[in-house]
Amino acid sequence: MFACAELWVHLSLFFIVCFKHCFLPAKFMESIVTPFVKNKGADLTDKNNYRAIAVSNADTKVLERIVLGNIITFDSMDKYQFGFKQGHSTTLCTGVVKKTIDYYIDRGSHVFVCFVDFRKAFDCVNYWK
């Protein structure tokens, strides 16, 4: 936010090189996960009373903003919604995930998958998205 124009030029060149070479430094993959209490008046020994907050470095956040700004639209979100939608189910989603993984493995690529359980963050999910 408070950086000079030269920093943005260097960052953009760095990100372009990373994308062209399909490489990100290991520090970009690191984050610090901190437990956050949902309800301080509830049982603090209950694991369901905590939400995990992942904090990444500033460079990673800048890159995420750039990428998200280019791939997410409200129209594209609907076609990837499987659960809670008429005529769709999570079984269809499982099939898409398996086909996608098979596609990349058959071509010799590595596949990394992350699953998120939104029940833990139910009170803070933006349902309009």
Side-chain angles (χ1 to χ4, degrees):
M1 182 182 339
F2 300 108
C4 61
E6 289 82 12
L7 177 63
W8 292 114
V9 170
H10 289 288
L11 275 177
S12 65
L13 290 172
F14 172 71
F15 291 147
I16 288 169
V17 169
C18 286
F19 284 128
K20 285 191 180 208
H21 294 282
C22 299
F23 172 80
L24 280 176
K27 288 286 183 188
F28 273 63
M29 307 301 175
E30 293 178 6
S31 62
I32 299 170
V33 179
T34 306
F36 182 76
V37 179
K38 289 182 182 180
N39 182 359
K40 293 181 182 177
D43 183 10
L44 296 179
T45 62
D46 182 13
K47 66 178 179 159
N48 293 319
N49 192 26
Y50 289 88
R51 177 182 324 136
I53 304 294
V55 179
S56 54
N57 65 43
D59 297 332
T60 303
K61 290 180 182 182
V62 170
L63 178 61
E64 288 172 355
R65 280 288 180 117
I66 292 168
V67 171
L68 281 175
N70 288 314
I71 64 170
I72 291 185
T73 64
F74 290 107
D75 293 337
S76 67
M77 296 292 276
D78 289 342
K79 67 183 175 185
Y80 298 114
Q81 174 73 37
F82 290 97
F84 308 105
K85 186 175 177 185
Q86 188 174 8
H88 291 75
S89 71
T90 54
T91 305
L92 292 171
C93 181
T94 305
V96 170
V97 170
K98 286 182 178 181
K99 285 182 182 179
T100 303
I101 291 171
D102 290 342
Y103 174 86
Y104 286 102
I105 288 176
D106 289 345
R107 285 158 178 76
S109 292
H110 296 284
V111 178
F112 302 94
V113 180
C114 176
F115 294 99
V116 179
D117 182 1
F118 283 113
R119 288 179 294 174
K120 301 289 183 195
F122 186 76
D123 55 339
C124 64
V125 173
N126 185 345
Y127 295 100
W128 293 105
K129 290 186 178 181

